[in-house]
Amino acid sequence: MKDLVFLCHRIPYPPNKGDKIRSFNILKQLSEYYRIHLAAFVDDPTDWQYQNELNKYCASLCLVPLNKKTATIKSAKGLLTGKPLTVPYFYSGKIKAFVETTLKSKPTSDIFIFSSSMAQYAQGSEFDGLRRVIDFVDVDSDKWRQYAEKTSWPMSWVYRREARLLEREEKKICIEFDKSLFVSPQEAACFKKLVPESICHKVDHILNGVDTIFFHPSSSQSLTRPCSDKFIAFTGAMDYWANVDAVMWFADKVWPQVRKAFPQLKFYIVGGKPHEEVSALAQRDGIVVTGRVDDIRPYITHALVCIAPMRIARGIQNKVLEAMASGKATVLTAMAADGIELPVGQQRFVCDDPKSFLAGTLDLVENEALAKSVGKENREKILSQYHWDNTLSPLLDMFDADNKR
C-alpha cells in the first residue's frame, strides 16, 4: 500500500453531520488502498472519544483541539495579511509539523485535502511532484457571498471580503493541485466559471451518497416513536446558519398556516446545538426543538413529511438524501434540491415561495397515500444512484491508477 496524507478541517467521525458524513466515507474508501496519515481539528470535545474508531482506518493520527473563540481571534490576522479569515482560523503548528514529519519519512505520499482551509499545509514548491487532490465540496466563496447578501453592515463587509479573497485562494489551489473535486456537477460547473479555461480539466465532482442500510425504512420503523402526535420534521446541525435561516423562514412564513389547518400537528426541529433563535421557537404553538438526539432516524421515519426549506446552500443536502433513503416525501426549495436527481413524484414538491411551500406541505400531510408513493420512488432513486459504493467509485481515478489493488 502507498501512503496518503489526509487533512481535514473537522474530525471525520462520527459521521453525524454533512461534512463529516462525506469526509468519513471518503476516508473509509481510501483506507482500502492507502496507509492513511490523518490530521484534523476537533471542535466538539465529545468527539475525542472516537479516536479509537479512526485508528481502524489510519496508520497515524494527529488530532488538534479547536477552540472557536481562540480560532476567531487568530482569524483576525487575516485582516492584516490580506488572506481569507478561514486560513488563520484553521492554522496549527502541530498539523504543519505532522505533515512535514510524515512526508520526510514517506516522501512519495499522495495528499488528500478536505476543505479549502486545509490546503495551506500542502502548498508551495516543496510539494511539487506529489499527487495532490482537494475536495472543496462546495464553492465556499459563493456561500460567503450569499451570507453577505442576507446580512447588514458591518458583517456584510466582512463576508464580502471573505468571498473575494477566498475565491482568489480557491483559484490558486486549483492551479497548484492535480484535481479539484466538488459535491455535484452543478458545483463543479459553478467553479469552472471562476477559473481560467486552461485548468478546467482539473475540476471534477464526486456525488454524496447515503448509507442505505442504516437509513432503511423497515429497520427505522421499529425504532421507538419520538412522540404520539403526528408531526413534520427538519433535521440538521442547528448552529449552522443555513439551517437556522431555513427553520426561521418556515416557522414565520409557513408554519402558522399549517398549524391552522392541522391544529394537532407538530413541527419537530431535530439537531444539536440549536442557535438561540431556534431554541426560542419552542415557545411557539406546536414547535418542538429537540437539541442533539442519539438517533435521527425515528424522527425522519415517523414524520408525515420531511422539509428542507433551504435559502442559503451549496452542494448536496444530506438531510434530503437521508429522508429519501428512509422512504420519505420531502417538501424542499430548489436550493435544497440542487445537485440531486429527484424522481418525478418528488419534483412536484420543490417549492420556493411560502404559498407553494404551504400547498406542498398540506398536500402530503392530507394525503398519506401520496406521501408513501413519493417516498417509495425516493428510496428507489437512492438505491440506484446514491449509494456510497456508487458515488465514490470514481475516486481512485483521481489518484495514481497504479495504486489500485
Side-chain angles (χ1 to χ4, degrees), residues 248-269:
M248 295 302 298
W249 178 84
F250 181 81
D252 290 338
K253 304 293 186 181
V254 183
W255 176 246
Q257 288 73 34
V258 176
R259 180 73 170 172
K260 184 177 180 180
F262 294 93
Q264 303 306 313
L265 190 68
K266 299 290 181 65
F267 171 33
Y268 269 66
I269 301 171

Side-chain angles (χ1 to χ4, degrees), residues 23-296:
S23 60
F24 169 70
N25 279 282
I26 291 175
L27 173 70
K28 183 180 177 183
Q29 172 85 348
L30 290 176
S31 71
E32 297 181 15
Y33 302 91
Y34 283 97
R35 286 185 298 271
I36 303 286
H37 305 278
L38 171 68
F41 288 96
V42 181
D43 61 357
D44 184 341
T46 62
D47 285 348
W48 285 104
Q49 65 184 299
Y50 301 112
Q51 184 168 339
N52 287 337
E53 288 294 326
L54 287 173
N55 284 329
K56 297 176 183 178
Y57 305 97
C58 302
S60 65
L61 201 57
C62 174
L63 298 180
V64 176
L66 180 72
N67 180 286
K68 293 183 179 180
K69 289 183 179 179
T70 303
T72 300
I73 294 171
K74 281 171 50 183
S75 71
K77 292 180 181 178
L79 296 172
L80 303 175
T81 60
K83 290 187 175 182
L85 300 182
T86 45
V87 171
Y89 188 97
F90 286 103
Y91 177 78
S92 163
K94 186 176 179 181
I95 290 181
K96 185 175 188 293
F98 175 81
V99 173
E100 290 174 350
T101 301
T102 302
L103 292 178
K104 187 175 181 180
S105 62
K106 299 164 179 65
T108 60
S109 298
D110 288 341
I111 300 176
F112 180 82
I113 305 290
F114 190 88
S115 177
S116 62
S117 57
M118 300 301 286
Q120 59 186 302
Y121 300 103
Q123 287 180 280
S125 58
E126 64 267 36
F127 299 98
D128 289 349
L130 299 182
R131 185 73 176 175
R132 286 173 287 175
V133 176
I134 182 167
D135 186 4
F136 283 102
V137 187
D138 307 323
V139 184
D140 280 337
S141 57
D142 193 66
K143 185 161 57 180
W144 287 107
R145 198 168 288 113
Q146 290 182 48
Y147 289 169
E149 292 170 355
K150 292 183 178 293
T151 54
S152 55
W153 192 89
M155 293 311 297
S156 59
W157 177 86
V158 174
Y159 295 154
R160 265 191 288 272
R161 176 190 182 277
E162 189 70 5
R164 175 172 51 83
L165 295 180
L166 191 55
E167 180 182 318
R168 185 178 71 185
E169 191 66 23
E170 289 166 344
K171 291 176 183 177
K172 284 176 57 180
I173 294 166
C174 186
I175 290 170
E176 197 169 341
F177 279 51
D178 297 279
K179 275 291 183 181
S180 294
L181 306 181
F182 292 86
V183 74
S184 70
Q186 290 85 350
E187 287 294 296
C190 176
F191 188 70
K192 285 180 179 179
K193 294 176 183 177
L194 303 178
V195 300
E197 187 176 349
S198 59
I199 60 171
C200 282
H201 67 281
K202 294 184 174 186
V203 181
D204 211 328
H205 73 276
I206 295 287
L207 291 172
N208 264 8
V210 64
D211 187 332
T212 56
I213 296 175
F214 186 77
F215 289 99
H216 194 290
S218 60
S219 60
S220 299
Q221 282 282 359
S222 64
L223 298 172
T224 303
R225 186 180 177 90
C227 69
S228 59
D229 298 306
K230 291 184 176 182
F231 64 96
I232 61 176
F234 177 96
T235 60
M238 293 318 305
D239 58 346
Y240 179 47
W241 188 9
N243 288 339
V244 173
D245 176 81
V247 298
M248 295 302 298
W249 178 84
F250 181 81
D252 290 338
K253 304 293 186 181
V254 183
W255 176 246
Q257 288 73 34
V258 176
R259 180 73 170 172
K260 184 177 180 180
F262 294 93
Q264 303 306 313
L265 190 68
K266 299 290 181 65
F267 171 33
Y268 269 66
I269 301 171
V270 185
K273 300 181 180 179
H275 186 276
E276 58 184 16
E277 285 186 278
V278 176
S279 295
L281 292 178
Q283 304 302 315
R284 301 192 191 184
D285 287 345
I287 298 182
V288 179
V289 180
T290 68
R292 183 184 180 279
V293 297
D294 292 331
D295 193 338
I296 65 168

